[in-house]
Amino acid sequence: MRTALRASISTAVLAGALLAPIAGTAYAATTTAPATTAVAGTVTDRYAGTSVLIDTGVIAVLRNKSEGPEVWIRAVSDSWKPGDDYAGRVLTALDGTHLKASVGGLELELVGSNSPRPSLSVAKGGTTKSYPLPQAATAPVDCVSKVKQVDLGAGLLVDLTMSPKGPKAHVHSADPSSTWSRTLTRTDPKGSEGYFSRINNPSGAKPVFAWKSQGRENVPSGFANFPTLPKGCTPEYRVTEETPAPKPEPSATKPVPATNVVSARTTGQTTVVPQGSVAAGAEIASEDTDNSVTLAAGAGLLSVVAVLGATFLRRRRSHS
């Protein structure tokens, strides 16, 4: 009897010794195993979201972050109320690739997954309720405009951009192997003298890039408007329109009257004759007068010579 009892005790002790590590391991697993979900504010944010009760013992955790819109359906206690932990068992999940599911008589649908404001639709017994997901965080607006490239000729290009700091023109060679470049900005709007370029109205609402090719005097200047600022962006400086250059005032000096002389042009030379010396009917000739007028003036001079010659002959005869 005692032998049998001792054998039973030994067997029980041995069994306990063998089973103790297994039991300890199982307990450790149930107490230290990480939860598959996050309790808001206590663990990772990967599964954190807005929790709503959609049925007795069933909640939906609504998310709309970098992973896109998500809905995690979890089992909770029947006494669960908003604000309690939601680390319960996952029943199903909805996202952009899994839009519908059925759980315990609930028909679930993620509506508008590609819209700015998606929502969860829950239908049960002919009644449908909608639960909006949180609004996704908006990405920061890039306030630098798209690049506007303009061909300036002579193997040069310019990249025009607009930002809150103002207009910027990056002039560079069209040859990709060239490293030459020149950048014009709102505070440094003038380019090189050899290849004229400038930002007109640099602090104004509509700046303009102006240029002219080197060594091409007969080619008019070119003009290109800068791109506009992206929507929602504003300048960091005071917008001031450039004052146009003042027009020159008319001269107060009266024009000097022309000299009271006439020009008689003969072949190969021009002779200036006092106006009173020209015989009646003689034409006044200028540098732009045609040959007929010049001949008429010459005829007038010959008439004067003839009159003087006749007078001289009469006086000589009278003295003979």
Side-chain angles (χ1 to χ4, degrees):
M1 184 85 178
R2 290 180 180 178
T3 302
L5 179 59
R6 287 176 182 174
S8 299
I9 293 173
S10 299
T11 302
V13 171
L14 179 60
L18 294 174
L19 292 175
I22 300 175
T25 303
Y27 178 78
T30 57
T31 56
T32 62
T36 57
T37 77
V39 177
T42 61
V43 259
T44 176
D45 289 337
R46 173 61 184 89
Y47 302 101
T50 302
S51 56
V52 293
L53 185 65
I54 59 175
D55 197 19
T56 303
V58 180
I59 64 168
V61 180
L62 312 175
R63 291 174 43 83
N64 193 7
K65 296 189 177 183
S66 59
E67 298 81 11
E70 295 178 339
V71 178
W72 294 81
I73 308 301
R74 296 183 175 279
V76 292
S77 67
D78 293 347
S79 61
W80 187 93
K81 58 184 181 298
D84 290 350
D85 293 343
Y86 48 86
R89 178 170 56 94
V90 176
L91 302 177
T92 188
L94 304 177
D95 56 26
T97 57
H98 302 86
L99 300 178
K100 295 182 179 181
S102 298
V103 173
L106 302 175
E107 298 298 326
L108 311 172
E109 182 179 2
L110 178 58
V111 180
S113 60
N114 294 324
S115 69
R117 294 302 301 268
S119 62
L120 170 66
S121 173
V122 179
K124 181 181 179 181
T127 302
T128 302
K129 293 183 179 181
S130 181
Y131 302 87
L133 272 64
Q135 187 171 1
T138 56
V141 178
D142 184 3
C143 284
V144 178
S145 70
K146 293 182 179 180
V147 176
K148 178 180 180 180
Q149 190 172 85
V150 180
D151 188 349
L152 305 181
L156 292 181
L157 303 173
V158 63
D159 298 333
L160 305 179
T161 55
M162 191 70 178
S163 74
K165 296 184 181 297
K168 183 171 73 172
H170 180 64
V171 184
H172 58 94
S173 173
D175 182 1
S177 63
S178 174
T179 58
W180 180 91
S181 67
R182 174 77 167 89
T183 300
L184 283 64
T185 62
R186 181 181 66 87
T187 56
D188 184 19
K190 294 183 179 180
S192 63
E193 295 296 333
Y195 192 99
F196 170 75
S197 58
R198 186 181 188 277
I199 299 178
N200 291 337
N201 200 24
S203 296
K206 295 182 178 180
V208 175
F209 181 76
W211 77 93
K212 189 170 185 178
S213 299
Q214 180 180 6
R216 304 175 69 183
E217 291 79 5
N218 297 327
V219 177
S221 298
F223 301 91
N225 295 327
F226 279 83
T228 58
L229 273 175
K231 186 177 181 181
C233 302
T234 56
E236 297 177 356
Y237 52 91
R238 181 180 179 184
V239 177
T240 306
E241 302 300 329
E242 188 175 70
T243 304
K247 296 181 179 180
E249 297 181 359
S251 176
T253 306
K254 294 183 179 180
V256 178
T259 306
N260 190 23
V261 297
V262 294
S263 175
R265 185 173 60 189
T266 59
T267 304
Q269 64 179 0
T270 301
T271 305
V272 177
V273 183
Q275 187 174 6
S277 301
V278 180
E283 298 291 340
I284 299 175
S286 66
E287 288 297 326
D288 296 328
T289 309
D290 60 14
N291 292 335
S292 61
V293 176
T294 304
L295 291 175
L301 290 175
L302 292 176
S303 298
V304 172
V305 174
V307 171
L308 292 176
T311 303
F312 175 75
L313 290 175
R314 283 197 301 271
R315 288 181 180 180
R316 186 173 181 180
R317 291 173 182 174
S318 63
H319 286 87
S320 300

